[in-house]
């Protein structure tokens, strides 16, 4: 302890005989606490350390008892050697002053539990119907709209090779999502990223160029109606909510996401397949 303050305090008092006597006050327990803590931090190269004690008389600078609430107090000059240590009077002051950092810490811990201990349960429950429910509840309209736009921009020969003449494709509005398959799940930052492959079935009217048209109204004529299946990859995000309890033993993803709407991220067309084609060269035409 090197016989120095704040844990060794020397002074003088007058005894009952009127003599001036030198005194030494040793706060051994406080010294052991502080120097053990400081040495541990130095030996392990720790940064951003926090020391919580209401004993400002021993650990704080003179006047530190009057430091503002919810703020750190200055350490005694003799023990301020390690400036990576910040002192607070109580837990409340520490939590209030470091509110944002603590929220980030808890969010990181929360995400880590979701991505490790609970990851298999998250995937299992998404596969067991939750992913399909979320798609149908929140994204079905957008997915059908994207499918409609994709098919509207196709040429007839993209629907089937029989349609080799110029024309256009007119999708019907009443398509439906026929299948949803979980593709990938990932937990990072503030979100659970969910990737699903979706099959959308939609009828399309095929209009073919009419070489004998008399006016613009007859330039294209309706030839056939085919059914196509468009496979798309959909990615959406479920928010990580640190306010929700993570019960490892009986975790329910449905309860965890309750009250928080997922965010739509992206859609990518994988393939388009004709599943009900009207043959352009029908046998009955040849028979006639």
């Amino acid at each position: 302890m090197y016989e120095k303050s704040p844990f060794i305090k020397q002074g003088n008092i007058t005894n009952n005989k009127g003599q001036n006597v030198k005194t030494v006050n040793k706060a051994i327990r406080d010294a052991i606490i502080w120097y053990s803590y400081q040495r541990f931090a130095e030996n392990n190269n720790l940064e951003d350390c926090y020391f919580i004690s209401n004993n400002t008389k021993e650990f704080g600078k003179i006047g530190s008892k009057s430091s503002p609430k919810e703020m750190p107090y200055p350490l005694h000059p003799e023990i301020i050697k390690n400036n990576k240590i910040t002192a607070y009077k109580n837990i409340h002051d520490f939590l209030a002053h470091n509110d944002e950092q603590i929220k980030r810490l808890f969010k990181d811990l929360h995400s880590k539990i979701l991505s490790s201990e609970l990851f298999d349960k998250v995937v299992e429950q998404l596969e067991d119907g939750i992913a399909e429910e979320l798609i149908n509840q929140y994204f079905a309209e957008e997915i059908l709209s994207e499918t409609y736009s994709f098919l509207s921009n196709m040429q007839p020969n993209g629907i089937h090779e029989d349609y080799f003449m110029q024309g256009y494709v007119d999708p019907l509005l009443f398509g439906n999502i026929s299948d949803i398959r979980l593709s990938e799940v990932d937990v990072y930052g503030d979100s659970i990223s969910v990737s699903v492959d979706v099959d959308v079935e939609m009828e399309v009217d095929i209009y073919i160029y009419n070489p004998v048209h008399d006016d613009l109204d007859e330039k294209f004529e309706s030839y056939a109606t085919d059914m196509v299946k468009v496979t798309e990859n959909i990615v959406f995000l479920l928010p990580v909510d640190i306010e929700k309890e993570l019960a490892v033993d009986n975790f329910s993803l449905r309860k965890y996401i309750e009250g928080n709407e997922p965010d739509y991220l992206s859609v990518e067309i994988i393939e388009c397949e004709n599943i009900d084609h009207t043959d352009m060269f029908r046998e009955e035409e040849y028979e006639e």
Side-chain angles (χ1 to χ4, degrees):
M1 291 166 61
Y2 309 108
E3 297 292 321
K4 65 181 181 182
S5 60
F7 308 116
I8 301 295
K9 294 183 174 66
Q10 298 184 2
N12 295 283
I13 62 171
T14 302
N15 61 18
N16 54 9
K17 296 181 180 180
Q19 298 172 328
N20 194 22
V21 180
K22 185 177 181 180
T23 63
V24 177
N25 180 26
K26 299 182 179 183
I28 304 296
R29 288 183 300 177
D30 293 331
I32 291 174
I33 289 171
W34 177 260
Y35 286 115
S36 297
Y37 185 84
Q38 186 182 69
R39 177 166 294 185
F40 181 84
E42 291 172 350
N43 290 346
N44 291 278
N45 298 314
L46 301 181
E47 297 185 0
D48 299 325
C49 299
Y50 302 97
F51 183 75
I52 299 175
S53 172
N54 198 35
N55 187 0
T56 56
K57 180 180 178 182
E58 301 296 343
F59 298 111
K61 184 180 179 180
I62 294 175
S64 59
K65 185 177 182 179
S66 303
S67 296
K69 189 178 180 180
E70 299 184 352
M71 295 292 290
Y73 64 84
L75 289 165
H76 192 281
E78 293 289 346
I79 60 173
I80 198 60
K81 173 184 175 183
N82 189 338
N83 57 11
K84 298 173 183 177
I85 297 177
T86 305
Y88 293 92
K89 296 176 185 175
N90 50 58
I91 292 290
H92 171 81
D93 290 355
F94 165 73
L95 293 175
H97 189 245
N98 297 280
D99 180 58
E100 291 303 318
Q101 297 96 311
I102 291 169
K103 284 181 179 178
R104 284 198 299 270
L105 176 65
F106 274 101
K107 185 167 288 187
D108 290 344
L109 179 60
H110 199 90
S111 296
K112 186 176 181 180
I113 294 173
L114 282 170
S115 62
S116 55
E117 297 179 56
L118 293 174
F119 185 77
D120 290 343
K121 291 184 179 181
V122 170
V123 172
E124 179 184 349
Q125 293 178 37
L126 284 167
E127 287 180 328
D128 200 29
I130 293 181
E132 182 175 355
E133 291 176 19
L134 292 171
I135 287 291
N136 287 322
Q137 181 178 356
Y138 294 103
F139 307 122
E141 185 175 341
E142 292 180 69
I143 292 170
L144 293 175
S145 177
E146 289 279 353
T147 307
Y148 180 89
S149 298
F150 168 74
L151 293 173
S152 297
N153 291 320
M154 293 185 70
Q155 287 296 311
N157 62 1
I159 299 298
H160 198 278
E161 59 185 8
D162 279 359
Y163 307 129
F164 56 86
M165 299 181 69
Q166 288 186 342
Y168 65 91
V169 178
D170 185 20
L172 301 185
L173 292 176
F174 303 104
N176 71 286
I177 297 174
S178 59
D179 192 25
I180 299 172
R181 302 172 299 279
L182 186 66
S183 175
E184 187 177 0
V185 180
D186 194 12
V187 181
Y188 62 92
D190 297 342
S191 304
I192 303 172
S193 172
V194 182
S195 171
V196 296
D197 290 337
V198 173
D199 291 338
V200 178
E201 295 182 3
M202 187 174 289
E203 286 188 319
V204 292
D205 285 338
I206 307 299
Y207 287 81
I208 301 295
Y209 175 71
N210 179 9
V212 294
H213 72 281
D214 293 328
D215 55 47
L216 291 176
D217 293 334
E218 298 176 350
K219 185 175 181 180
F220 298 97
E221 64 176 343
S222 176
Y223 184 80
T225 299
D226 285 3
M227 177 72 78
V228 296
K229 181 176 72 174
V230 181
T231 301
E232 309 167 24
N233 178 254
I234 312 297
V235 179
F236 62 90
L237 302 177
L238 297 172
V240 168
D241 188 352
I242 63 173
E243 300 297 327
K244 296 288 183 69
E245 182 181 355
L246 293 178
V248 177
D249 293 332
N250 57 348
F251 174 74
S252 169
L253 180 61
R254 194 182 306 278
K255 289 183 179 179
Y256 180 77
I257 63 177
E258 186 177 1
N260 292 313
E261 291 191 7
D263 291 327
Y264 179 77
L265 187 61
S266 69
V267 56
E268 178 185 358
I269 305 297
I270 298 175
E271 63 178 0
C272 179
E273 177 187 0
N274 194 319
I275 59 175
D276 188 7
H277 169 60
T278 302
D279 192 350
M280 191 170 184
F281 303 102
R282 296 183 287 271
E283 291 184 4
E284 58 267 22
E285 291 184 356
Y286 290 104
E287 290 174 0
E288 292 177 0

